[in-house]
Every structure is written in structure tokens, then in C-alpha cells.
DNA sequence: ATATAATTTAACCAAATGGTTAACAAAAGT
DNA sequence: ACTTTTGTTAACCATTTGGTTAAATTATAT
């Protein structure tokens, strides 16, 4: 199945931990489970990472570090609104397609400890939603798009990107589709979401 | 704080259990915690509901029984497409506003045991998405709305209804809004989502 | 070669957790 | 009045879990 040959012990642990944490959350993850999946003794976990919390923090940072800096970059980008929408939606879906279970994991942890995790997630610079909001306001005033509350527009965009992953099993159940079909659908969404939004707000 | 006076013991347990389960999930919930919140002994929990699983099942059914029958009803309703969209979005948001943490809870449990929970959730009659999909197809063929994949349209609608609740703490963090502001925003979404969708697909 | 440091393990520990038991108290029949 | 059923509790139990310890093995340096 998986090649674990030339990985260092630390790498083996991190790979196993990521799987277990993302699947079960912080509280639900078992150190023994991580050790087993990494093919090592449980005590060795504590040798490399002092505690469950510490290990979790490493995984959490690593898992989210790909996504949020990009969000921040795109939100503050100077390109036209429609391009921001296109770029954000396609990039978001593309990145998350690599880790489909990440969003539910992040939302869960942030839900359990909003402030602690917002700190871990954003540090001190949260994604500049206000910049995007201002840009939307401007376009409305210039009469380039239909009037809409910027906050709602942003939430709509975020919703259509994030929810399909969070609700993946439910969607698969309701629509009776397998892994491949789901993946194909998400590939389509890379462009479809932006088209859908723009069709709604374009004058 | 809360009035627990004229409640029967069973009601006290159910109220406490709902809170604890929804906040922590099946695995994260503690029987002792439920007992404490209900102001009773832990053994009494097992006297009323034999096990954690049994208690959970009761809570789960009670919590979801309000929502899904309505979804099914609206999906199979014979009214025009735009009315379905308006009715579904407004009703969904309205119902969930009473239990804002329900969606994340349900998605989590369904994620952990897709088949077991789909059984508990839907029994043998899943929401008839196909009926709605067929209706969309027809409207497209009749040239009444722009062409769009029915599956994607449904996912978009679902996304904009569900995600704001699932992502509530994250949205509150990113947009820096309090409980009341969030609630007001969701009130607005009762009509806004449908307007947004219809604007996008209307010819 | 051998002393030193880094890595790995088996055995153990204390705390937490779901669940049980046996005894006690309160209601409800009779 | 008293017997039976229902409701409630404290104490207890087995298992699980995160974490520790001390010994063993392997690598590194001298």
C-alpha cells in the first residue's frame, strides 16, 4: 500500500498523526493508534513530541499553513473583483481537493476552542475580509455590479467552496455518488462557483 | 439561570444530554457531565437510558426529526422551482436558527459512520433530490432558466444554507461580529439566499 | 575499542470513563 | 398497614488513555 521505507521516524509519526487527528479530531485521536499506524512504540511518540497537545499543534499548523496564507494573499490582491472571485474559488477548491477532510477538521477544532485556535490559525493577522468587502462596496457604488451586502457575498462564496467538503459524506449519500464522481464534481466546481456568483451579481 | 423546576427527570436528562452531545459529539460527550448538568446521579442515566449509545440515539433522532421531513416534503412539492428555492432556503435557515450547532453535529457523526447514521437519519427514504433535479432539468429544457448542472445547483443552495452555521465561529472570528449580529445576518439570509440563486439562473 | 549520546522498547502508573451492584427512599397498589 | 414497584444514590469495577521510567539497543565520537 503505502511506502514507509525511507522515511525518518519523525516523518512516519507526522504522517500517521495527521491521518488520525484529521479523522478523529483532537479529543478523538488515540496516541496508541498513531503509534501503531507509524509502526512504532507509543513511548517513542512522547520522545519525539512531548505530549498529545504538542503533536497536535504541529499537525494543525502544517495542515493549515498551505491554505490560509493564500486566502490572505488573494483577498488583498489588487486585481479586479471578478478575477478575485475566480481565483479564490478555483484555488481554494484545488488546494482542499488534496486534503478533503481538512475543512471539517479545522471547523471542529475552531468550534471547540474559538480563541485558542484562531490564534494558532491566524496568528495576529486574520484574512483581510474588509479589503475584499471594500472592493465590493466600490464596485456597487460605481454601478458595476448589483447591490448586495459584501458580507453575504463573501459568505456565499466561502459556503460554496467549503461546504461540499464538509458535507462530503452527506452529499455522497444523498446523491448516491462514489469517490471518483465526487472528485470530478469538485473539479467542475473550480470554475462553476465563480460563474454562478458572477452571473448573480453582474449587471 | 435556567428553570429546571417542573421538569421530570427524564426531561432534565434529555435537555442536558442534548447540550452535551451537540457540543462534544458522541465520542467527546461524558456521561458524568450529562448527569451533572441534569443535577442527578450518573447511575440514574443508565436507569433511564441503558447506555450512552441508546441515549445518543434518542437525542439524535429528536434533534433531526424536525428538519429532514420538511426537506423531503419541500423537495417533492409540486410548486414552481423558484418557490421551492425560496421555501427551502427560508425554512431551512429558520429551523436551524433554533439549533445553530445542529448541522456541525450531524455532519460530524455522519462523517464518522456514514452508513450507520444515514440509516438513523433517513431510515429508508432519503430526501428525494432526484425529484428536484428533474424539475431543474425540465425548466432548463423549457428555456426558463439558464443551463446549469442540477446537482451543482442543489449543492450551491445547500451550501449557502448550511455552511454559515457550520462555520459560525470562524465567520464570527473573521468578520468580528457577536451573537446578535450573527443572528441578524442569518435572518437576512432567509430571503437573501433565494434572491442570490434566482438572480444567477434566471434568464 | 570504548565511552557517550541518541533512539527504541516493555512494563508500569494514575486518572478518567462507561457501566454495574446493592442498598435505600418514595410512590402506588392492595 | 404492608407489600410491590419505581426512582435514586454511593461505592465499586474493568477498560481505556495519556504519560513515565528504566533498561536495552544503535549510532557517533574519541
Amino acid at each position: 500500500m503505502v511506502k514507509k521505507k525511507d522515511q525518518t521516524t519523525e516523518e512516519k509519526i507526522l504522517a500517521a498523526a495527521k491521518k488520525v487527528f484529521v479523522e478523529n479530531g483532537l479529543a478523538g485521536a488515540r496516541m496508541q493508534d498513531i503509534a501503531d499506524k507509524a509502526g512504532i512504540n507509543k513511548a517513542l511518540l512522547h520522545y519525539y513530541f512531548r505530549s498529545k497537545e504538542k503533536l497536535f499543534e504541529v499537525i494543525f499548523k502544517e495542515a493549515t499553513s498551505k491554505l490560509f496564507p493564500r486566502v490572505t494573499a488573494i483577498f488583498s490582491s489588487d486585481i479586479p473583483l471578478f478575477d478575485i472571485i475566480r481565483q479564490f474559488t478555483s484555488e481554494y477548491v484545488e488546494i482542499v481537493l488534496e486534503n478533503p477532510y481538512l475543512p471539517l477538521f479545522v471547523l471542529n477544532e475552531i468550534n471547540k476552542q474559538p480563541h485558542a485556535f484562531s490564534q494558532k490559525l491566524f496568528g495576529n493577522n486574520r484574512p483581510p475580509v474588509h479589503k475584499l468587502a471594500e472592493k465590493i462596496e466600490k464596485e456597487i457604488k460605481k454601478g458595476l455590479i448589483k447591490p448586495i451586502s459584501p458580507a453575504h457575498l463573501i459568505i456565499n462564496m466561502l459556503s460554496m467552496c467549503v461546504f461540499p467538503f464538509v458535507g462530503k459524506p452527506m452529499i455522497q449519500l444523498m446523491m448516491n455518488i462514489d469517490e471518483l464522481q465526487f472528485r470530478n464534481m469538485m473539479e467542475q466546481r473550480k470554475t462553476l462557483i465563480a460563474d454562478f456568483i458572477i452571473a448573480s451579481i453582474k449587471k
Side-chain angles (χ1 to χ4, degrees), chain A:
Chain A
M1 288 274 177
V2 191
K3 253 201 181 176
K4 279 186 202 167
K5 268 292 145 76
D6 36 13
Q7 275 181 103
T8 145
T9 303
E10 189 169 339
E11 285 168 341
K12 279 192 281 184
I13 293 177
L14 286 174
K18 182 178 175 184
K19 226 181 187 172
V20 175
F21 275 129
V22 169
E23 258 168 41
N24 307 297
L26 170 55
R30 301 293 152 228
M31 293 298 267
Q32 187 62 58
D33 199 5
I34 296 174
D36 291 348
K37 272 203 174 52
I40 56 155
N41 186 289
K42 185 173 60 123
L44 202 53
L45 278 184
H46 291 87
Y47 176 77
Y48 277 86
F49 306 86
R50 277 217 334 259
S51 69
K52 194 184 180 185
E53 294 283 338
K54 294 268 179 203
L55 177 55
F56 179 82
E57 226 164 293
V58 175
I59 299 295
F60 191 78
K61 276 234 173 79
E62 196 251 307
T64 56
S65 65
K66 280 166 204 149
L67 193 53
F68 286 87
R70 280 306 298 151
V71 173
T72 299
I74 298 174
F75 273 17
S76 12
S77 166
D78 239 353
I79 57 179
L81 178 62
F82 285 2
D83 290 340
I84 288 191
I85 294 173
R86 284 205 191 86
Q87 201 174 332
F88 175 85
T89 52
S90 77
E91 268 202 49
Y92 189 98
V93 173
E94 178 153 333
I95 294 175
V96 177
L97 259 176
E98 308 304 301
N99 296 284
Y101 291 98
L102 199 61
L104 186 56
F105 168 70
V106 172
L107 288 178
N108 264 319
E109 300 308 329
I110 223 172
N111 197 265
K112 265 156 207 160
Q113 308 188 32
H115 284 88
F117 280 103
S118 92
Q119 198 60 24
K120 279 178 194 159
L121 202 47
F122 303 134
N124 276 322
N125 51 331
R126 289 179 290 186
V129 272
H130 59 278
K131 284 199 184 170
L132 182 51
E134 280 161 24
K135 181 164 276 186
I136 295 169
E137 291 276 24
K138 259 187 213 162
E139 301 268 315
I140 294 172
K141 275 198 186 120
K142 281 195 274 180
L144 299 175
I145 61 171
K146 295 185 202 159
I148 182 175
S149 147
H152 281 292
L153 177 52
I154 293 170
I155 289 179
N156 287 350
M157 179 172 73
L158 224 54
S159 297
M160 288 186 277
C161 291
V162 184
F163 177 75
F165 295 103
V166 178
K168 180 171 180 264
M170 169 164 285
I171 288 173
Q172 284 185 303
L173 277 171
M174 286 203 330
M175 303 200 161
N176 210 23
I177 57 178
D178 61 27
E179 285 302 314
L180 183 64
Q181 288 172 302
F182 180 83
R183 210 192 145 77
N184 286 338
M185 230 172 161
M186 292 308 116
E187 289 286 346
Q188 292 167 9
R189 287 184 80 75
K190 281 195 214 167
T191 56
L192 186 142
I193 297 173
D195 292 341
F196 188 83
I197 297 173
I198 291 169
S200 183
I201 60 176
K202 192 173 53 184
K203 264 196 172 164

